């Protein structure tokens, strides 16, 4: 194979890798919420609290821990959460699973990224 062909193939592979990395990191940022700065996380957490949102969790639920961790140490203090210690405990008996958000009287199950929480709650963070 000629050196020019090798160089061209290497260049194409490099361009594909760079674009792939860009699109993956963009997707990852949107899913995890890292596109939001600390101020926006705080605004979302305060708005959720103002709307009376409650996050139902369980100590044995990894997704619940991830849900709380995306807010960071400062903003998570504004998230009202309730730990379901047993299935018979009050509202927990009626839940289909955890994590579960109660926002504006509706229940939303599973991990929610920032974009989903903003859409569900109607909060504006920008």
């Amino acid at each position: 194979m000629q050196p020019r062909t090798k160089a061209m193939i290497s260049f194409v592979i490099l361009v594909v890798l760079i674009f792939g990395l860009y699109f993956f990191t963009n997707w990852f940022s949107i899913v995890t919420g890292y596109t939001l700065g600390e101020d926006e996380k705080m605004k979302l957490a305060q708005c959720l609290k103002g709307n009376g949102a409650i996050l139902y969790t369980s100590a044995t639920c990894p997704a619940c821990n991830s849900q709380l961790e995306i807010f960071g140490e400062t903003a998570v203090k504004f998230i009202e959460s309730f730990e379901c210690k047993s299935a018979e405990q009050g509202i927990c008996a009626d839940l289909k699973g955890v994590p579960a958000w109660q926002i504006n009287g509706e229940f939303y199950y599973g991990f929610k990224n920032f974009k989903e929480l903003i859409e569900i709650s109607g909060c504006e963070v920008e």
Side-chain angles (χ1 to χ4, degrees), residues 13-30:
I13 290 173
L14 181 63
V15 168
V16 168
L17 286 174
I18 289 172
F19 276 107
L21 184 61
Y22 170 76
F23 287 112
F24 173 75
T25 56
N26 185 45
W27 169 83
F28 185 75
S29 295
I30 291 169

Side-chain angles (χ1 to χ4, degrees), residues 102-123:
Q102 184 179 12
I103 302 173
N104 300 325
E106 297 288 325
F107 284 93
Y108 302 91
Y109 295 96
F111 178 90
K112 301 294 179 214
N113 62 41
F114 286 113
K115 184 177 179 184
E116 292 171 311
L117 288 171
I118 290 168
E119 288 174 7
I120 291 168
S121 65
C123 292

Side-chain angles (χ1 to χ4, degrees), residues 18-89:
I18 289 172
F19 276 107
L21 184 61
Y22 170 76
F23 287 112
F24 173 75
T25 56
N26 185 45
W27 169 83
F28 185 75
S29 295
I30 291 169
V31 169
T32 60
Y34 288 119
T35 57
L36 295 181
E38 290 302 314
D39 289 342
E40 288 86 3
K41 290 177 186 180
M42 184 68 76
K43 287 178 186 176
L44 178 58
Q46 290 173 335
C47 179
L48 288 168
K49 182 175 180 144
N51 288 350
I54 302 171
L55 173 63
Y56 295 93
T57 66
S58 171
T60 59
C61 168
C64 299
N65 293 332
S66 297
Q67 185 71 83
L68 290 168
E69 287 173 359
I70 67 168
F71 282 95
E73 290 181 29
T74 307
V76 76
K77 295 173 185 171
F78 289 92
I79 301 297
E80 184 165 345
S81 63
F82 182 81
E83 185 177 340
C84 296
K85 296 182 181 178
S86 71
E88 297 82 35
Q89 185 180 10

